[in-house]
Amino acid sequence: MKRGDNHYEEATKLRRRAKELFLKKKSQSPEDLEAMSSEHIRRLLHELEVHQIELEIQNKDLRRAQEELDDARARYFDLYDLAPIGYCTLSEDGLILEANLTAATLLGVARGTLIKKRIAQFIRKEDQDIYYLHRKHLFETGIPQAFELRMVKKDETVFWARLNATAAHDSAGTPVTRLVLSDITEHKQAVEALRQNELRESENRIRKLFKQHSAVMLILDAETGSIIDANAAAAQFYGWSLEELTQMSIQEINTLPPEAVKACMAKAALSKSTRFEVRHRMADGSILDVEVFSNQIESAGKGFLFSIIHDITELKQAEVALREEDRYLRTILQTTIDGFWVVDLEGKITQVNETYCRMSGYTCDELLKLNVSAIDVVEEPAATSAHIQRLIAKGSEIFETRHRRKDGSVFHVEISATYMNTGSGKFVCFCRDITERKQHEEQLHTLNNVLEQRVEQRTRELQETQSHYLHAEKLAAIGKLSASIAHEFNNPLQGIMTILKGLKKRAILEEEDKELLDAAIGESERMKNLIRSLQDFNRPSSDRKMVMDVQKSIGSLLLLSKSDFKSKRISVVLNYTERLPQILAVQDQIKQVLLNLLSNAADACLQTGGVITISTWQEEERVAVAIKDTGIGIRPEKMALIFQPFYTTKPEVKGTGLGLSVCHGIVQNHQGEIRVESQPGEGSTFTVLLPIKESAGVS
């Protein structure tokens, strides 16, 4: 097109020049022509011929340019009319000013009939608002708009179209809209087909999940309650087949009256999710408690209830059992021989049982008005508050104190208090009257002091006469002496117990006297057990292996060590496992090992207030006993020497260096093992492992 324009300009210039030359020649008179020389006339003719040739050449160029212009115009109209998308030019009022053949074909009308018609009449009525909204945005902002809507052909066929609108001006400067139309019906159909396919796949997945889920599921008609569908879990739970269930209604399963069932269904239909606890009937006639979660769903415009059912029969039974247990425990608390009360963080009594009322002489109402400090003789109110704070920090504590009865008398009590961090916090306390026990303890303490004095005196005599013997022989002599003393005590003790038991059988006593008599018999039994432990420990070894209860043996050894531990203020912590298997061993040898380890642990606690922890457990096919102390520990360089004969870390007056060596030999003879863990300043742990015999049984 540019080349044709250039030819047109050159032809115009040439025509103008030729016209000027012609007028010039025409203005000359015949006289002038006659006066001209032949040479001048020939030159003039030559110029005219040259101009004629130039005009012919320019004429050819013009015809060629015209042909190129016609070809370009034809190609442009071919591209415009035969484009795969429709083009329209719209006026400000939405009238079609120009359209290509494709636009006419899309709209199903002849191109000529489109001119001056509104584009809106080819847009489906429901989608015309979309067109007008984007048309408004285009005029207000000038930003090209792209949108999709449904259009209607002349034959009422509806198709989906994508419209791209651009603001422009025509040659006269009038605002117009360039509109591009694309038929996207096949694309929309493909998308819809894909969506439907995804919906079918999703429905299949949901149905498969519904059918195979382990939870009981039902789909009900929201109006009638008819069971529309059920899964395999529902058939298994209720006992009916799927075919039978889908022919039933929920009213046949729910034990509520029909009106109540209908009310539940209405409630579920109004909310997103509703929970019910009801009772359902099984195929065999049994009734089970169930928890139902139900919500409304819609399908094809119809309402359904989707329900998930959980069997809570066992939960309900557990709740009933829990209530019975609570009633049972309350009965125990009211009838136990120990006093029971609950105290708040201020020390005020909030609950008390009848036992403590009888114990203190107060009525229940009177005690509920009192603070603990009002009945405690030992602690002042300020001390009681501090004790409460300590108890909160520790969590629980067993301690002894004295309480004042309503009549002013004082009695000894043992309190077991536990802090419960529930709500505002409270203390649960059991109170036992230990007045008689205290009296017996004082008597036993007096007897024990006498016994200890006699033992010390006899020990000093033995030390004076046998100073040349080793320390081990001294211990053996003391052991024999202890056994002899125990034997001397055993005979009169048996007589006392016989009299007490006979008195219990024959005498008619008051309840309080019976309690005193039972306490005396109990303390006598404890003394008998102590004497038996002394005798068992000092009985000569037979080297015969017998079934042995390790934990019971430790208990008898602790009785022997009680006085020593008490004098050193050593506390013992027992960490026994349940159902510890028995072992097959030479009992007195294993007792010798354990007693030696306990003695070493006590000696290691140089400062008073040490702690010895005894733990038992089963390690594969062996029983383990660990004795841990909080003493001085063993330095690393000494660990390899502790089992060597005659090596000791104790002063000469306390150790011979044979104890651990002998213990090591005894344990090895029993196919066992001794392990040692120690840190200087932190204490030591000696662990004895002894094999379990299958025939030994379980303790």
Side-chain angles (χ1 to χ4, degrees):
M1 293 298 292
K2 190 173 182 180
R3 181 181 174 188
D5 293 339
N6 293 335
H7 283 301
Y8 178 76
E9 292 175 1
E10 291 177 0
T12 303
K13 291 179 181 179
L14 184 60
R15 190 179 298 109
R16 188 183 303 113
R17 183 180 175 189
K19 185 176 181 180
E20 290 174 355
L21 184 60
F22 172 75
L23 293 174
K24 182 179 180 182
K25 299 300 182 189
K26 187 177 180 181
S27 64
Q28 292 181 349
S29 62
E31 290 81 6
D32 292 335
L33 293 174
E34 292 177 357
M36 293 175 61
S37 64
S38 59
E39 182 65 27
H40 188 267
I41 292 172
R42 283 195 299 273
R43 189 166 54 252
L44 182 60
L45 290 173
H46 177 72
E47 290 180 359
L48 290 173
E49 290 174 354
V50 170
H51 283 299
Q52 184 179 1
I53 293 171
E54 289 179 350
L55 288 173
E56 291 175 353
I57 293 173
Q58 292 295 330
N59 191 34
K60 290 180 181 180
D61 289 341
L62 286 173
R63 285 197 299 271
R64 188 182 302 109
Q66 184 64 40
E67 291 174 357
E68 290 178 356
L69 182 61
D70 292 340
D71 290 341
R73 185 177 291 110
R75 286 195 301 274
Y76 167 75
F77 280 106
D78 287 344
L79 289 174
Y80 178 74
D81 286 334
L82 302 178
I85 55 179
Y87 293 101
C88 293
T89 301
L90 308 179
S91 67
E92 284 187 292
D93 297 332
L95 299 177
I96 301 174
L97 302 177
E98 185 181 12
N100 68 348
L101 289 174
T102 305
T105 303
L106 285 175
L107 299 176
V109 296
R111 181 165 58 172
T113 61
L114 282 176
I115 306 305
K116 298 300 181 180
K117 289 190 176 181
R118 293 188 180 276
I119 190 68
Q121 74 181 67
F122 297 100
I123 299 174
R124 190 167 179 174
K125 186 176 181 181
E126 293 85 348
D127 295 353
Q128 287 184 1
D129 288 343
I130 300 175
Y131 163 72
Y132 285 118
L133 178 63
H134 285 279
R135 179 170 173 268
K136 180 181 178 183
H137 288 172
L138 177 65
F139 288 154
E140 289 178 352
T141 65
I143 300 174
Q145 302 290 311
F147 49 95
E148 296 177 359
L149 45 70
R150 289 169 292 180
M151 302 192 75
V152 184
K153 295 184 179 182
K154 184 178 180 181
D155 60 0
E156 302 298 328
T157 303
V158 178
F159 67 97
W160 276 95
R162 178 177 178 83
L163 278 61
N164 294 80
T166 306
H169 294 82
D170 60 9
S171 57
T174 303
V176 294
T177 302
R178 307 291 187 193
L179 194 64
V180 179
L181 296 87
S182 303
D183 187 350
I184 60 171
T185 303
E186 293 184 358
H187 171 71
K188 282 287 187 179
Q189 291 173 347
V191 171
E192 180 63 20
L194 181 61
R195 189 181 70 85
Q196 291 295 332
N197 185 53
E198 290 177 349
L199 285 176
R200 285 192 296 272
E201 291 180 357
S202 177
E203 182 180 355
N204 291 336
R205 287 194 299 269
I206 294 174
R207 178 163 292 278
K208 184 177 180 180
L209 177 64
F210 173 78
K211 290 295 185 182
Q212 297 180 357
H213 203 283
S214 59
V216 178
M217 298 181 181
L218 298 176
I219 297 178
L220 312 176
D221 187 311
E223 295 181 359
T224 65
S226 298
I227 300 175
I228 306 301
D229 202 355
N231 64 353
Q236 182 179 2
F237 176 68
Y238 288 110
W240 285 291
S241 66
L242 291 175
E243 291 76 12
E244 291 173 325
L245 278 173
T246 52
Q247 295 175 3
M248 299 171 63
S249 66
I250 194 64
Q251 289 86 345
E252 298 176 67
I253 294 176
N254 198 321
T255 59
L256 290 175
E259 296 78 10
V261 175
K262 187 175 181 180
C264 291
M265 292 172 57
K267 183 179 179 181
L270 294 175
S271 59
K272 293 182 178 180
S273 180
T274 307
R275 176 186 174 277
F276 304 102
E277 283 190 12
V278 293
R279 308 192 76 197
H280 278 188
R281 182 179 293 103
M282 305 294 112
D284 60 4
S286 60
I287 305 296
L288 296 181
D289 292 289
V290 295
E291 180 183 47
V292 180
F293 292 90
S294 186
N295 63 287
Q296 185 171 12
I297 58 176
E298 288 189 4
S299 178
K302 184 174 177 60
F304 299 93
L305 293 179
F306 173 62
S307 301
I308 300 176
I309 298 94
H310 298 296
D311 183 0
I312 59 171
T313 304
E314 292 184 0
L315 178 62
K316 286 291 186 179
Q317 293 173 350
E319 290 177 354
V320 173
L322 186 61
R323 287 193 293 269
E324 289 294 323
E325 183 72 14
D326 181 68
R327 186 180 64 82
Y328 173 70
L329 291 176
R330 288 182 179 275
T331 302
I332 290 177
L333 291 176
Q334 290 298 328
T335 58
T336 181
I337 62 172
D338 291 335
F340 170 80
W341 26 272
V342 177
V343 180
D344 64 16
L345 297 184
E346 302 298 326
K348 186 178 184 302
I349 300 173
T350 60
Q351 187 177 344
V352 66
N353 68 348
E354 289 296 329
T355 302
Y356 189 77
C357 292
R358 292 192 299 271
M359 193 183 298
S360 62
Y362 289 97
T363 65
C364 179
D365 292 337
E366 289 172 336
L367 286 171
L368 293 179
K369 296 177 182 178
L370 296 178
N371 193 286
V372 173
S373 59
I375 58 176
D376 195 297
V377 177
V378 177
E379 291 183 344
E380 297 294 330
T384 300
S385 299
H387 194 174
I388 288 174
Q389 296 304 317
R390 290 197 305 271
L391 186 54
I392 292 175
K394 292 175 64 176
S396 63
E397 184 182 9
I398 298 176
F399 58 95
E400 295 180 1
T401 185
R402 287 175 295 163
H403 282 184
R404 180 179 289 105
R405 295 187 179 92
K406 185 178 180 180
D407 60 7
S409 61
V410 175
F411 61 105
H412 292 269
V413 291
E414 181 183 68
I415 307 293
S416 175
T418 302
Y419 174 62
M420 306 293 289
N421 189 15
T422 56
S424 58
K426 60 184 178 181
F427 299 96
V428 176
C429 306
F430 286 89
C431 176
R432 176 169 295 180
D433 187 347
I434 58 170
T435 304
E436 294 183 5
R437 191 182 80 185
K438 281 293 185 180
Q439 294 172 352
H440 289 302
E441 285 179 355
E442 291 176 1
Q443 296 174 359
L444 290 173
H445 180 69
T446 302
L447 293 175
N448 187 51
N449 288 337
V450 173
L451 179 61
E452 287 181 353
Q453 291 173 3
R454 294 179 61 183
V455 171
E456 289 175 359
Q457 180 182 359
R458 186 59 177 165
T459 301
R460 286 194 297 269
E461 293 174 357
L462 289 172
Q463 287 175 344
E464 291 174 359
T465 58
Q466 299 179 352
S467 58
H468 58 283
Y469 286 163
L470 296 173
H471 185 61
E473 293 177 342
K474 295 177 183 178
L475 292 176
I478 295 173
K480 293 178 181 178
L481 179 62
S482 299
S484 175
I485 294 173
H487 180 72
E488 291 297 328
F489 272 86
N490 190 46
N491 290 334
L493 181 62
Q494 288 292 341
I496 293 172
M497 289 180 64
T498 300
I499 294 172
L500 291 175
K501 289 180 180 179
L503 185 62
K504 181 179 180 181
K505 288 181 179 180
R506 296 177 179 83
I508 299 175
L509 303 174
E510 297 292 335
E511 186 65 27
E512 189 176 50
D513 294 333
K514 288 182 180 180
E515 291 179 0
L516 292 173
L517 185 59
D518 289 338
I521 294 174
E523 293 301 320
S524 300
E525 288 288 349
R526 194 170 70 86
M527 292 181 64
K528 184 178 74 172
N529 292 335
L530 178 61
I531 293 170
R532 184 181 295 113
S533 298
L534 286 170
Q535 291 174 337
D536 290 344
F537 183 76
N538 289 282
R539 186 175 291 112
S541 174
S542 63
D543 291 333
R544 290 180 56 191
K545 291 185 177 181
M546 302 175 64
V547 174
M548 179 179 180
D549 187 331
V550 175
Q551 294 178 165
K552 186 175 180 181
S553 299
I554 294 173
S556 64
L557 296 175
L558 289 175
L559 283 174
L560 298 177
S561 305
K562 181 177 180 181
S563 176
D564 185 33
F565 289 171
K566 184 176 181 181
S567 64
K568 296 179 180 179
R569 295 191 178 181
I570 294 174
S571 60
V572 178
V573 177
L574 300 180
N575 186 15
Y576 288 171
T577 188
E578 295 183 0
R579 298 183 60 79
L580 184 70
Q582 296 180 339
I583 63 173
L584 199 63
V586 181
Q587 294 190 17
D588 55 336
Q589 292 183 4
I590 299 302
K591 286 182 178 180
Q592 180 181 349
V593 171
L594 298 175
L595 183 61
N596 188 276
L597 295 178
L598 287 172
S599 176
N600 288 348
D603 292 339
C605 298
L606 298 180
Q607 298 180 355
T608 59
V611 178
I612 296 177
T613 302
I614 304 174
S615 304
T616 63
W617 69 90
Q618 182 176 349
E619 187 173 308
E620 295 180 351
E621 297 300 322
R622 298 189 293 183
V623 165
V625 180
I627 299 177
K628 178 181 179 181
D629 63 70
T630 58
I632 59 175
I634 305 172
R635 289 182 293 177
E637 63 271 15
K638 303 296 185 182
M639 290 288 287
L641 305 175
I642 59 176
F643 291 115
Q644 293 184 6
F646 304 107
Y647 175 78
T648 181
T649 58
K650 302 177 184 178
E652 292 184 0
V653 297
K654 296 192 67 177
T656 63
L658 293 174
L660 285 178
S661 175
V662 172
C663 291
H664 188 262
I666 291 173
V667 173
Q668 281 192 331
N669 289 337
H670 283 77
Q671 289 79 46
E673 177 187 359
I674 296 183
R675 298 175 185 168
V676 185
E677 298 177 7
S678 182
Q679 291 291 334
E682 296 182 7
S684 305
T685 302
F686 283 79
T687 304
V688 179
L689 294 102
L690 298 169
I692 299 172
K693 296 300 181 181
E694 294 182 359
S695 60
V698 176
S699 63

